[in-house]
Amino acid sequence: MAQTPVPGGWTMPVEPGPPEFLPILDLPAPGRQRRLTVLFRWLLLVPQLIVLWVLSVGAVVAVVIGWFAALFTAQLPGPIARYLVHYVGYDSRVMASATLLVDRYPPFSLRPRPDYPVQVELRPGRLNRAAVFFRLVLLIPAAVINSLLGSGWFVLAFFLWLWVLVTGRLPRPVFEATAAFVRYRMRFGAYALLVTSAYPKGLFGEEPPVPGGELPASASRPLVLGTWGKVLLVAFLVLGLAADLTNEYVNTDGHTSSDTTNTAPR
């Protein structure tokens, strides 16, 4: 029990509050994948992406309403919280398939399917009103990391797809780094949508379990990254930064050249 000092030199016992719950992403261990589904993976996911876009419109409306409600009640209204939880889960299932983490096609269901290998655990609860009010500002550091990870993975996407297409399997370091990226993205989305008060963290995974301790619940609970998995995750960040800087330079240079051409004397 924690002790809080008070005037007079004595301490008052304080009951510790409930621990902040960090959203969990459960993934199956990397295994064999059907080359035919890998070949057409991104094409097959187009209908899912359309559905996801429609759901995202509803999520934006829901989180705006939920933001105002949370400022007064310090929590999301029940129906809004349930919709946003289901939306984060749907998005994570599609993302896991798109990043070649799972071979099974994600179901067209907003509610989670117990038999599907990708599961998301979220526990909406009390929110800090100040953190809700400044949520967009607080999101900036995590948004930068999330963007760099996505850009970096996209740079390597073709080569990763080609490897899985030829070998039928995602290498363990690639699985670890990709799982870390998808989990961080899920936690970022949950925090942005006010589903959790826990700031996105744990990018580089957790410590390996103690021998003889509790058995892992899934391949990503706990998510333990080896040396090469961590190296690849850093590569995602570096490549993402390089890609963003390159795009910025190309766009700036293009505008400069266009402006110079338009203002040149005739």
Side-chain angles (χ1 to χ4, degrees), residues 3 24 44 56 76 105 109 134 157 161 175 200-201 212 228:
Q3 302 288 321
I24 294 173
L44 293 171
S56 70
L76 291 175
Y105 194 76
S109 174
F134 293 105
W161 170 82
F175 169 82
K201 59 176 77 75
W228 287 109

Side-chain angles (χ1 to χ4, degrees), residues 59-71:
V60 170
V61 175
V63 77
V64 170
I65 298 173
W67 184 83
F68 284 102
L71 282 179

Side-chain angles (χ1 to χ4, degrees), residues 44-53 90 94 105-109:
L44 293 171
L45 285 176
V46 169
Q48 291 282 2
L49 296 175
I50 294 174
V51 173
L52 191 59
W53 180 83
Y90 196 110
V94 173
Y105 194 76
F108 285 100
S109 174

Side-chain angles (χ1 to χ4, degrees), residues 231-252:
V231 168
L232 187 56
L233 193 57
V234 172
F236 287 169
L237 293 169
V238 173
L239 289 172
L241 178 61
D244 289 350
L245 291 176
T246 300
N247 290 335
E248 183 68 23
Y249 173 78
V250 170
N251 293 335
T252 302

Side-chain angles (χ1 to χ4, degrees), residues 6-55:
V6 296
W10 56 281
T11 59
M12 178 177 64
V14 178
E15 290 289 343
E20 192 175 53
F21 181 77
L22 194 60
I24 294 173
L25 175 66
D26 284 318
L27 295 168
R32 298 292 300 179
Q33 299 199 35
R34 295 165 294 175
R35 290 181 175 86
L36 187 61
T37 63
V38 173
L39 177 63
F40 297 106
R41 177 66 54 87
W42 295 323
L43 180 62
L44 293 171
L45 285 176
V46 169
Q48 291 282 2
L49 296 175
I50 294 174
V51 173
L52 191 59
W53 180 83
V54 174
L55 294 175

Side-chain angles (χ1 to χ4, degrees), residues 70-148:
L71 282 179
F72 293 97
T73 65
Q75 61 184 0
L76 291 175
I80 289 179
R82 284 191 292 273
Y83 177 80
L84 294 175
V85 165
H86 292 329
Y87 170 75
V88 172
Y90 196 110
D91 177 80
S92 299
R93 291 190 291 272
V94 173
M95 192 64 184
S97 179
T99 53
L100 307 173
L101 289 172
V102 292
D103 190 44
R104 281 184 59 184
Y105 194 76
F108 285 100
S109 174
L110 192 58
R111 294 181 178 273
R113 296 280 184 86
D115 61 334
Y116 192 72
V118 178
Q119 297 290 330
V120 172
E121 185 175 349
L122 296 164
R123 301 177 187 175
R126 300 289 295 180
L127 298 168
N128 182 294
R129 290 184 178 89
V132 170
F133 185 78
F134 293 105
R135 186 58 53 105
L136 289 178
V137 177
L138 295 173
L139 277 173
I140 293 174
V144 171
I145 295 175
N146 186 63
S147 176
L148 294 179

